[in-house]
Amino acid sequence: MMTLPEGFSPDERAEKAMSLFKQGYNCTQSVILAFSDVLEASGLADERLLKTVGSGFGGGMGRLREVCGAFSGCTMMAGFISPADVPADMAARKANYAIVQEFAEKFRNANGGSIVCRELLGLDKTSKAESPAPSQRTDEYYRKRPCVQIIGSRMLTPSSRRSIPRSGRLSPRRRPPQIPK
């Protein structure tokens, strides 16, 4: 069982996620890395694995401006909160999907009804794919984009009664593969 640290604070996790984004991690990496200590202590994932699996989700999936990377990070966290790793376990899938849908509802309510990066950034829906080159992180970049605020939103942390069992424990099913160093 994975136990949340003593004094777990969604606000501190939100601050950590924003700091990680400002260090240059993409939106997905920032959300999931904010929980790396908890996931590592539980044996579910190490920091390197989290950095790696989150790397292609930035910019709405590789700068395609599709599903917001911060929301993708939430979806990944739902897998750690309520794993659905046994194909025949329909109850586990239902519980996992319920958390994803709860996160989506909160996310949409806080962000003008969307979980789509392009819409959150106010980009034209008909615009062509952007260059895969990431944007330079400048003061102007941070002023023009809502990403830091979205990443730092408490709704992205597993803090509701439904998301974290009352026991404060998350139930892992098995240790995931580690990426070789």
Side-chain angles (χ1 to χ4, degrees), residues 8 13 37 65 72 163 167:
F8 176 80
R13 298 301 162 149
D37 62 325
R65 305 300 181 204
S72 293
S163 298
S167 66

Side-chain angles (χ1 to χ4, degrees), residues 72-139:
S72 293
C74 291
T75 302
M76 288 180 189
M77 288 305 300
F80 291 115
I81 293 166
S82 182
D85 57 351
V86 177
D89 188 347
M90 294 302 152
R93 282 188 184 190
K94 180 180 178 182
N96 176 271
Y97 293 167
I99 291 171
V100 172
Q101 289 180 10
E102 178 184 337
F103 278 146
E105 180 181 358
K106 289 179 181 180
F107 193 96
R108 284 185 179 112
N109 288 340
N111 293 293
S114 184
I115 62 168
V116 177
C117 176
R118 142 183 359 93
E119 294 171 5
L120 297 168
L121 294 178
L123 301 175
D124 183 357
K125 291 180 182 183
T126 62
S127 61
K128 295 181 181 179
E130 294 183 21
S131 162
S135 300
Q136 291 295 317
R137 299 289 181 88
T138 63
D139 290 340

